[in-house]
Each structure stands twice: as structure tokens, then as C-alpha cells.
Amino acid sequence: MFSKRASGIWSGLVFMLGLATITGAAPNGAARDLSLSLIPRHAVSPQAGALASSPAQESVRYRIPRAVFFNEVAGRGLLVRLWINGFGPYTFALDTGAGASIVSPRVAAEAGLPVKQGTQNKIAGLSGVPHREVTSEVRAASLAIGDRDNALPATGTVLKADIFPNDIDGILDPTEAFWPLGYAIDFPRRELSAFDPALTPLRSWQGPGEGAIVPWVREPNSRRPYVLLDNGQRALIDTGSEFGLALTDPAGGYDRRTSPSGRAVRDLGGGMISARRVAPQTVAIGSLILQRIPTDLVSGAESGSPTLLGRAAMRPFRIKFDPISRLIEIAPVAGAGER
């Protein structure tokens, strides 16, 4: 259930969680810190393509991609069809928390993606344990979504990593791939669309009646979308996560003996974490109150990871991301019902 905030009181717990990190040396020496959630692939239906009724729009600067459908599959994520350098279609998961798009070695080889020299990274999971293999940055000349000619304006950072099961092709970070365009993820309608923020920007004073427009908070060297909860804590909007509200357990690190009620999970680097369902929480984002959000405490997460708002918290909403004005609109969709 959601409502407009009346009192400015937030009753949630204050902890932090992160899904994964990728760190390494870029050409300019900047370290990467990327959050992501891996999910098994589910076959993307032909309907998960470009919307025939939504022709590409022309802005002053860019050709805006046509809107596309995605499939949301329980236990798998938001899945779209993607073409890379004209090769595909591949099945990719939309992950706003990734900070970069990631492809499997098989896709990199098929699409002819050359490795950028001097760019080596390590992927680590929630536990902070790094994956055994080095991750390379590759060059992608073009990306298209939904159908082969529905080009995205940018490729952004693309990493090659052998971290996927055989039946998933990669992760697409829409912030990086749509840059500098804005984009909207409409959960009830299962639609991903783009807009030119130079022409139709979000304005903080023009918020939706039942929703809110809030600042897009960023970290140094990252465009991942954080919002501020009304207790001042940052929360990462992460469509790659099945969690609602994910918080680190104050008890500390993962211990199978002390986490009997938790769901044991092996993360990307091979470390172990545990997620334990607790009572639903209420959080406020700007003037919007999200009530009874499914909440998990995670044991064994690396220190300093962010609070997480995943798909279970976002399903009633259309979320619009304006990277130029650095604003995020969260608005309930008419007819979608309440949580």
C-alpha cells in the first residue's frame, strides 16, 4: 500500500545492504563500485519487443528508441531482448543497480567485442569475496533493444564476465545504455520507454498527484540511482533485486549456526550470505509513503553496502529517471491496485 506522507515520520530500521561490487583499475585510475543481482534466464517471449504502436520520436539531439515490453519472471527479473553489434537476439536482465552492462564471454565472442587494454576488474558478491576470474572491459559499437533496428543512444561501460549460467546472456544497465536520455520503467504495464530530458525534463515542483519527484542521489564516479529516505539514509533503486526493502542484519557476518531461519545463498564471488524475512516496514520517499514493504535482513554483507529497494517494493509504480536534472519520479499507475 502507498500513500502521500502526512507526518514526515519513518518507522523503518536503519541498516545497509549491497548486492555485489566490481572494483578495478580503469584507464583514468578511477575505481568502479557496481551493484548487481544475478538471476537465471527465462526465455523472453516475442512480445518482449519494441511496441509497434509507439514509433521512435525525434528530439533535437537524439533519435529516441521506441518503447519496449519486458517480461517480469518470478525468481528471474525484468527480461528484454537485446542486439549487440547487430548480433542477437540475446536475453538480458534490466538492472538499474549494476552501474555497467555485463555480457557473457560467449556473447562477447559472437558479437566481436574487443577487449579494452588496461581495464581489469574483480567482481565480488555481498560477502565481499572476489570472483576468482578477472573481468575485462569490452567495446560495443551498438546496442538495440526489442528489435534489431531499435538502437540505444549509448553503450556505456560494458564488461565481459564469466558469471552467468548457460541460459542467461547478460545484464543491461538502462542508465548507462540510454545516456544522456532519460527512461521510465512502468512495472504494471511492463514497459520500458525513453525521453529527452532536454525537451521534457522532470521538475521537482510538478510532482504527480499521488507520487513524488525526488533528487537522484549519486556516488562519486557512479550514476546508480539512489534516493533519500526521510531519515536521511540512502537507498538504491535496484530492479535487479527481488527484495522489497533489504537491510543488513545488525548481528554482523554470516554464520550458518546463528542464522537457522535465513535462506543461505552463495554470492557471485563464492562467499556465503543469508537473508531472513522480518516484519514488513514502512518507508517514506519524499512525500510518498510505502507501507508494509516486504523486508529482509541480510547477514554476511560487506560493510558499507547501501540499503536496497528492489522489485517487490516498486511493482505498483512507474519510475522515471531524469539523469540531467538528477530527479526521479515515482508514481502509482492507475488501475494497478495497491500493495
Side-chain angles (χ1 to χ4, degrees):
M1 184 176 181
F2 51 84
S3 62
K4 296 288 281 188
R5 184 172 61 179
S7 63
I9 301 299
W10 180 65
S11 60
L13 301 174
V14 183
F15 303 106
M16 296 192 299
L17 172 87
L19 286 182
T21 58
I22 302 175
T23 59
N28 61 3
R32 306 191 194 287
D33 182 3
L34 313 178
S35 170
L36 63 110
S37 172
L38 271 185
I39 53 178
R41 175 185 175 188
H42 184 82
V44 179
S45 71
Q47 285 73 31
L51 299 177
S53 60
S54 180
Q57 303 174 30
E58 297 292 338
S59 75
V60 174
R61 304 173 302 160
Y62 300 98
R63 181 180 184 272
I64 300 178
R66 296 186 298 277
V68 300
F69 288 120
F70 57 79
N71 289 339
E72 182 176 8
V73 180
R76 292 167 171 85
L78 310 183
L79 305 182
V80 296
R81 296 191 300 173
L82 197 74
W83 280 257
I84 303 178
N85 292 355
F87 292 85
Y90 301 114
T91 298
F92 272 61
L94 288 174
D95 191 344
T96 57
S101 297
I102 307 175
V103 302
S104 69
R106 177 183 62 83
V107 169
E110 289 180 1
L113 305 182
V115 174
K116 291 184 179 181
Q117 299 302 313
T119 56
Q120 293 186 338
N121 304 271
K122 277 285 188 179
I123 292 179
L126 283 170
S127 65
V129 176
H131 193 269
R132 64 184 182 276
E133 296 183 7
V134 172
T135 300
S136 300
E137 188 171 340
V138 294
R139 300 179 186 273
S142 66
L143 299 177
I145 191 168
D147 59 56
R148 193 187 302 271
D149 66 352
N150 195 37
L152 294 173
T155 59
T157 299
V158 179
L159 304 178
K160 179 184 71 172
D162 191 12
I163 57 175
F164 301 103
N166 292 333
D167 55 356
I168 187 170
D169 298 315
I171 286 172
L172 180 71
D173 184 329
T175 301
E176 298 300 317
F178 281 90
W179 178 265
L181 298 179
Y183 64 95
I185 298 176
D186 189 322
F187 278 87
R189 297 190 175 102
R190 299 183 179 183
E191 179 183 306
L192 172 66
S193 58
F195 67 97
D196 188 344
L199 299 179
T200 56
L202 292 179
R203 301 297 189 190
S204 58
W205 60 87
Q206 295 177 340
E210 294 186 356
I213 294 179
V214 296
W216 178 335
V217 181
R218 295 182 184 173
E219 298 175 317
N221 304 315
S222 173
R223 289 195 283 255
R224 292 187 299 172
Y226 289 86
V227 294
L228 285 179
L229 306 180
D230 71 340
N231 67 344
Q233 292 294 312
R234 296 181 305 163
L236 176 66
I237 297 178
D238 192 343
T239 61
S241 168
E242 288 191 317
F243 288 119
L245 179 67
L247 313 164
T248 52
D249 192 332
Y254 173 78
D255 187 333
R256 190 184 303 275
R257 296 168 299 178
T258 60
S259 304
S261 63
R263 306 187 304 277
V265 179
R266 187 175 299 278
D267 67 17
L268 300 181
M272 293 298 296
I273 60 171
S274 176
R276 175 167 58 91
R277 181 57 54 92
V278 295
Q281 300 294 305
T282 295
V283 300
I285 307 171
S287 61
L288 182 67
I289 297 177
L290 281 66
Q291 299 173 332
R292 300 193 300 273
I293 298 177
T295 302
D296 286 270
L297 293 184
V298 175
S299 300
E302 187 176 25
S303 175
S305 299
T307 297
L308 192 71
L309 285 171
R311 296 193 305 275
M314 298 289 102
R315 285 198 182 97
F317 301 103
R318 182 195 65 198
I319 309 175
K320 195 171 183 179
F321 301 83
D322 183 336
I324 305 303
S325 300
R326 296 194 178 187
L327 294 171
I328 297 174
E329 177 185 273
I330 305 173
V333 177
E338 295 187 345
R339 295 181 53 82

